[in-house]
């Protein structure tokens, strides 16, 4: 196998922690090793799942997970936080279980660059980690070039809140401070982007908040598309729950935002209409996380093409990519898919280190959306390789029925909570 | 049932118990396949079907009960079911049996082995 990365020590030094200090805090010795070394970049849904399952499938493989944050806060259920229905703390997950139970070496650092010829990654402090196989699950970056007037500085006035963290707090504070009777505007991007039903769940739960606390307010959803995920179910639910509070304007009705003036909280659409908001939430176009570009695995679309049977990059050998960063349509960019792809890619990586053929893949997705705390809907799919492409299994999957009773919607809302508990457990380990 | 399928199912059971030694010869069907198929269920029913909020664990239920329930979901004969019918329609009957065998072969509550 490739050399043991001496740089781990450098990382620890950089963090001001002696090796002894780590030992005293009960970290296990680095586990495994003779089966090869896999470096995983990103401790979100894709990366944490992959790290765990590589260790489960072959404990002789050493796995190093590099993630700068000590706790990961999930986008799933962050719309509940925005609506005041869940504490931010309950979105957080740590890495102790991955370390202690699964023997993953978790290195708190940012990966600056990848040398895919020498096969090592370079951390921000300059130290290196050598790998036999690399797995990237960096998620998305906002594309600050794609929408005039909307860059990182603008997002401090008009938050995207499309990553859970300071952006979520900013948007929550603005919603709390908003006057009754104000207009909340959400600008939704064209496909593809992280979490296709996300913008629609968000306006639903914000409507729930406004209806209770600022009932004269309005919601305007300006959309760069003419249709969206679970649309008939959302429309039905909005009517039933919120009357006319939510107005959706699609692409053909001049919903596409072309310019943003974040300080004035104003947007301009394709045909020149201007809308001014009390709170402006811009969900901009996105692209694969920066490290994917550095590794040379993205194409001109800004996303990562992969071999579907393994999720190895089509462009660079020994680099696997999963989650939102990839081109995996018809699978959506969801946490469920990232988890599912990561489990498969883990098996493919293990097979490749053992010189075996990869297993035949099968993936799944279910995206729950909450329109209110007791009102859930879902879209599900099972995916396989059909003629070498990822395809949904015919006559399976689909969305919740229209016109279902309120007990049905309440059950799905409860099941959404179970899903969240289970997938987080499967990703970061028990109580992780 | 074809010999090949039996081997498959047996391999599936083995892979759930002693993951690291289940390295079948290259010509054998991949023993990990059933475990990976079961992975589809983990996102809602917990890893190895052992944790799923207030879902009863799938691990440790009888083979017959699991098989019958899954086939009933697939035939749309479970009243009030929400997402299971949509998911199980993506599996064939052999896969449903393999899953029933997989989950019934696991113990309901043992924690994952600490490494
Ligand atoms: C509002 C909202 C609601 C959502 N709701 C749902 C839902 O209900 N269900 C669902 O299935 N999905 C949902 N999603 C989608 C879900 O959040 C993503 O699909 C999922 O997070 C993708 O996982 P990932 O591993 O690709 O990326 P992430 O989970 O974002 O993980 C990426 C990680 O990589 C790290 N990273 C990036 N670059 C580097 C680097 N250079 N070095 C080190 N670390 C790095 C980051 O710090 C981050 O921790 C929602 C998304 C949003 C925005």
């Amino acid at each position: 196998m490739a050399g043991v990365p001496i740089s781990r020590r450098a990382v620890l030094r950089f963090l001001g922690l002696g090796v002894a200090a780590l030992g005293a805090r009960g970290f296990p010795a680095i586990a495994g090793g003779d089966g090869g070394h896999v470096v995983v970049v990103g401790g979100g849904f894709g990366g944490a799942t992959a790290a765990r399952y590589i260790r489960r499938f072959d404990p002789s493989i050493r796995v190093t997970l590099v993630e700068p944050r000590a706790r990961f806060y999930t986008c799933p259920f962050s719309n509940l936080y925005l609506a005041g229905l869940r504490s931010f703390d309950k979105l957080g997950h740590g890495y102790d279980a991955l370390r202690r139970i699964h023997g993953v070496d978790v290195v708190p650092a940012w990966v600056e660059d990848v040398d895919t010829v020498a096969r090592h990654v370079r951390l921000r402090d300059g130290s290196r980690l050598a790998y036999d196989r690399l797995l990237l699950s960096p998620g998305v970056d906002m594309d600050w070039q794609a929408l005039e007037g909307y860059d990182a500085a603008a997002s401090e006035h008009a938050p995207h809140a499309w990553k859970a963290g300071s952006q979520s707090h900013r948007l929550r504070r603005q919603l709390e401070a908003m006057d009754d009777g104000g207009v909340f505007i959400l600008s939704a991007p064209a496909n593809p982007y992280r979490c296709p039903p996300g913008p629609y769940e968000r306006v639903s739960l914000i409507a729930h908040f406004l209806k209770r606390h600022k009932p004269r307010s309005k919601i305007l959803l300006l959309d760069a598309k003419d249709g969206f995920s679970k649309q008939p179910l959302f429309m039905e639910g909005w009517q039933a729950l919120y009357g006319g509070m939510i107005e959706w304007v699609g692409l053909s009705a001049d919903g596409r935002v072309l310019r943003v003036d974040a300080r004035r909280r104003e947007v301009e659409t394709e045909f020149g209409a201007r809308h001014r908001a009390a709170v402006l939430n811009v969900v901009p176009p996105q692209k694969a996380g920066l490290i994917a570009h550095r590794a040379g695995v993205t194409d001109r679309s800004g996303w990562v093409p992969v071999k579907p049977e393994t999720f190895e990059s089509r462009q660079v050998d020994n680099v696997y990519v999963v989650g939102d960063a990839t081109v995996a349509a018809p699978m959506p960019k969801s946490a469920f898919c990232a988890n599912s792809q990561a489990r498969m890619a883990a098996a493919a990586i293990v097979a490749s280190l053992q010189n075996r053929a990869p297993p035949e893949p099968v993936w799944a997705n279910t995206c729950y959306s909450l329109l209110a705390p007791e009102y859930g809907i879902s879209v599900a799919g099972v995916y396989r390789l059909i003629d070498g492409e990822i395809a949904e299994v015919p006559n399976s999957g689909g969305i919740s029925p229209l016109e279902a009773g309120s007990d049905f919607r309440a059950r799905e809302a409860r099941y959404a909570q179970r899903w969240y508990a289970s997938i987080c457990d499967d990703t970061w380990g028990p109580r992780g | 049932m074809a010999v090949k399928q039996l081997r498959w199912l047996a391999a599936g059971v083995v892979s759930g118990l002693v993951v690291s030694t289940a390295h079948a010869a290259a010509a054998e069907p991949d023993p990990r396949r059933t475990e990976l198929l079961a992975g589809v269920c983990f996102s809602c029913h917990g890893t190895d079907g052992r944790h799923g909020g207030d879902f009863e664990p799938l691990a440790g239920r009888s083979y017959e009960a699991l098989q019958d329930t899954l086939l009933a979901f697939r035939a749309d004969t479970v009243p009030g079911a929400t997402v299971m019918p949509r998911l199980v329609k993506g599996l064939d009957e052999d896969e449903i049996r393999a899953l029933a065998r997989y989950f019934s072969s696991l113990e309901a509550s043992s924690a994952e082995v600490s490494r």
Side-chain angles (χ1 to χ4, degrees):
Chain A
M1 62 159 287
V4 174
I6 19 166
S7 53
R8 179 176 147 81
R9 256 195 217 121
V11 175
L12 299 177
R13 255 202 320 273
F14 161 73
L15 293 163
L17 302 165
V19 176
L22 277 187
R25 283 167 47 188
F27 287 64
I30 301 169
D34 50 352
H37 183 219
V38 180
V39 171
V40 175
V41 179
F45 281 96
T49 302
R52 172 187 188 165
Y53 276 90
I54 292 167
R55 294 280 305 150
R56 168 177 162 133
F57 294 151
D58 186 347
S60 78
I61 297 173
R62 201 157 59 81
V63 177
T64 305
L65 172 68
V66 192
E67 161 66 52
R69 295 179 290 178
R71 278 183 89 65
F72 181 87
Y73 291 90
T74 63
C75 285
F77 279 27
S78 67
N79 288 329
L80 285 171
Y81 164 72
L82 294 177
L85 296 166
R86 192 181 182 93
S87 77
F88 194 75
D89 219 45
K90 278 181 75 186
L91 301 173
H93 304 273
Y95 298 96
D96 280 358
L98 284 179
R99 284 195 178 94
R100 280 186 295 100
I101 301 177
H102 305 295
V104 175
D105 187 17
V106 183
V107 175
W110 179 260
V111 177
E112 200 74 44
D113 210 351
V114 181
D115 184 333
T116 55
V117 177
R119 283 203 259 167
H120 61 240
V121 303
R122 184 161 54 75
L123 309 186
R124 188 156 277 175
D125 71 344
S127 64
R128 291 171 180 175
L129 294 170
Y131 65 79
D132 297 311
R133 301 288 182 277
L134 177 65
L135 183 136
L136 306 176
S137 191
V140 298
D141 277 351
M142 303 306 133
D143 185 348
W144 301 124
Q145 258 75 59
L147 183 55
E148 191 182 327
Y150 197 70
D151 56 12
S155 75
E156 300 195 358
H157 303 281
H160 54 78
W162 220 241
K163 294 189 179 188
S166 58
Q167 279 279 307
S168 322
H169 297 308
R170 203 175 286 276
L171 185 55
R172 173 71 191 147
R173 279 197 303 271
Q174 291 188 1
L175 284 164
E176 278 172 324
M178 184 176 126
D179 288 333
D180 189 7
V183 180
F184 171 81
I185 296 182
L186 187 150
S187 160
N191 293 320
Y193 63 97
R194 159 174 285 184
C195 195
Y200 314 95
E201 178 186 71
R202 178 169 291 177
V203 296
S204 309
L205 291 176
I206 286 176
H208 178 80
F209 167 74
L210 294 176
K211 190 179 163 189
R212 283 200 303 183
H213 300 287
K214 311 173 192 235
R216 296 188 296 119
S217 309
K218 284 262 174 250
I219 295 179
L220 183 59
L221 208 174
L222 297 171
D223 207 330
K225 323 176 267 308
D226 266 329
F228 58 88
S229 173
K230 294 178 271 194
Q231 183 167 359
L233 287 166
F234 274 111
M235 296 287 190
E236 181 189 71
W238 289 345
Q239 199 49 47
L241 294 163
Y242 307 118
M245 188 183 249
I246 301 171
E247 184 188 353
W248 174 73
V249 182
L251 173 68
S252 335
D254 196 23
R256 182 164 169 238
V257 168
L258 285 190
R259 248 177 301 283
V260 176
D261 185 337
R263 280 178 184 280
R264 287 173 55 81
R265 296 193 175 117
E266 196 174 89
V267 295
E268 191 180 322
T269 58
E270 195 168 8
F271 303 128
R274 285 166 185 250
H275 304 273
R276 189 139 186 203
V279 175
L280 176 58
N281 178 197
V282 178
V283 181
Q286 295 146 36
K287 56 186 181 178
L290 178 63
I291 197 63
H293 302 272
R294 306 290 309 181
V297 292
T298 51
D299 67 12
R300 274 162 51 194
S301 72
W303 304 102
V304 179
V306 290
K307 300 173 191 163
E309 60 278 19
T310 54
F311 276 61
E312 187 178 12
S313 159
R314 280 188 194 273
Q315 297 172 188
V316 182
D317 288 347
N318 299 315
V319 180
Y320 294 71
V321 188
V322 298
D324 288 359
T326 61
V327 180
M331 296 184 80
K333 298 188 188 304
S334 72
F336 199 120
C337 286
N339 169 265
S340 183
Q341 292 160 4
R343 218 185 282 102
M344 277 308 148
I349 287 173
V350 169
S352 124
L353 285 171
Q354 294 172 349
N355 284 317
R356 290 163 10 117
E360 185 188 326
V362 49
W363 307 272
N365 177 56
T366 300
C367 286
Y368 283 106
S369 297
L370 295 170
L371 280 67
E374 305 281 305
Y375 193 113
I377 59 175
S378 62
V379 58
V382 179
Y383 305 86
R384 295 176 192 266
L385 275 188
I386 301 179
D387 298 330
E389 304 283 337
I390 303 174
E392 193 164 356
V393 176
N395 305 315
S396 71
I399 64 174
S400 312
L402 278 163
E403 291 172 21
S406 59
D407 54 326
F408 193 97
R409 304 288 188 232
R411 268 206 309 284
E412 288 219 270
R414 229 172 48 236
Y415 295 150
Q417 302 276 350
R418 293 181 181 180
W419 164 78
Y420 182 82
S422 300
I423 196 171
C424 290
D425 190 79
D426 190 53
T427 302
W428 291 281
R431 293 165 301 280
Chain B
M1 184 185 288
V3 176
K4 195 174 153 215
Q5 276 168 7
L6 275 174
R7 242 195 280 133
W8 232 53
L9 297 182
V13 172
V14 169
S15 75
L17 300 174
V18 276
V19 175
S20 59
T21 54
H23 296 172
E28 303 271 314
D30 193 311
R32 192 148 290 136
R33 200 170 178 281
T34 309
E35 188 184 3
L36 285 168
L37 193 60
V40 165
C41 325
F42 296 179
S43 324
C44 291
H45 292 279
T47 310
D48 293 321
R50 284 200 179 108
H51 163 109
D54 47 356
F55 276 125
E56 292 269 315
L58 299 179
R61 293 210 200 176
S62 86
Y63 172 80
E64 284 74 23
L66 283 166
Q67 177 196 248
D68 292 352
T69 313
L70 292 172
L71 290 173
F73 281 133
R74 196 155 168 272
D76 270 326
T77 58
V78 180
T82 57
V83 76
M84 281 305 297
R86 288 179 262 155
L87 288 169
V88 179
K89 284 173 193 168
L91 310 175
D92 66 30
E93 283 189 21
D94 288 341
E95 290 174 325
I96 287 175
R97 288 195 195 96
L99 285 171
R101 199 162 307 270
Y102 178 82
F103 286 111
S104 64
S105 76
L106 299 175
E107 295 202 10
S109 64
S110 108
E112 206 166 347
V113 188
S114 176
R115 303 186 166 119

